[in-house]
Amino acid sequence: MNCNNYTTHKIKTLNQNIRKEFDKQFEHLGITGQQGIFLIYVSHNEKVHQNDIEQTFGLSKSTVSGIIKRMVKKEIISKQSDYPYVSICATEKGKKLVEKMDEVRNKINEKLLTGFSNEEKSLINNFISRMIENMKEEE
């Protein structure tokens, strides 16, 4: 296996492990990891439309629609008319949930970076940011 394939495989495996951990940790809050990530995104952005979520997370319209529908049913987000779009906002219940999720995210970050020095943590964050930039498609 060449180095590049090995790197992408390791990143994919890490991503899967992080998603499993989010799902496990968020389960007691009554949401999935994906719903939690959407809720955090919505709560940290003033005006969010469905297509923003689709583009940010690289998901199809139908996938995002289904997740939003389940989140509205749980009353953690609401949809408001914003012609010609529909804005998605965190409800009060959703905002309180985000506070609890921040604690979970901190625990997962601590677990993920256990044993790394502050200098190594900084390097890891810089490397990951550069990889994200490398993978952005040119417009």
Side-chain angles (χ1 to χ4, degrees):
M1 183 181 289
N2 83 28
C3 184
N4 289 333
N5 289 339
Y6 184 72
T7 300
T8 55
H9 174 73
K10 288 289 189 183
I11 291 171
K12 183 178 179 181
T13 301
L14 177 61
N15 184 48
Q16 289 169 338
N17 290 334
I18 290 170
R19 284 182 182 268
K20 284 180 190 174
E21 188 69 21
F22 271 106
D23 282 338
K24 186 171 87 176
Q25 294 292 327
F26 285 173
E27 183 177 30
H28 78 280
L29 299 175
I31 59 172
T32 66
Q34 188 72 64
Q35 290 171 346
I37 291 166
F38 279 20
L39 182 58
I40 291 165
Y41 175 77
V42 168
S43 71
H44 286 94
N45 290 282
E46 198 165 307
K47 198 179 252 191
V48 177
H49 300 119
Q50 179 171 328
N51 63 336
D52 296 327
I53 296 172
E54 293 164 14
Q55 291 174 1
T56 299
F57 295 100
L59 297 171
S60 71
K61 184 175 187 164
S62 61
T63 298
V64 173
S65 259
I67 294 170
I68 288 172
K69 187 181 287 185
R70 289 186 289 281
M71 292 174 72
V72 167
K73 189 174 181 179
K74 291 179 182 187
E75 300 177 347
I76 55 177
I77 63 169
S78 64
K79 295 181 354 179
Q80 301 170 348
S81 181
D82 185 21
Y83 185 81
Y85 303 103
V86 173
S87 291
I88 301 162
C89 307
T91 62
E92 284 306 310
K93 180 180 177 181
K95 290 175 185 174
K96 289 178 183 173
L97 200 53
V98 168
E99 292 173 14
K100 293 176 184 174
M101 289 186 318
D102 283 341
E103 295 171 20
V104 171
R105 285 190 317 159
N106 288 336
K107 283 182 8 184
I108 291 172
N109 276 327
E110 285 176 26
K111 181 177 182 178
L112 187 63
L113 296 171
T114 297
F116 290 96
S117 69
N118 287 337
E119 182 181 342
E120 290 170 323
K121 291 175 187 177
S122 179
L123 285 171
I124 289 168
N125 283 317
N126 287 334
F127 292 153
I128 291 170
S129 294
R130 285 172 45 197
M131 285 187 254
I132 290 168
E133 282 299 313
N134 290 343
M135 295 307 297
K136 283 187 178 174
E137 293 183 17
E138 293 183 24
E139 297 177 16

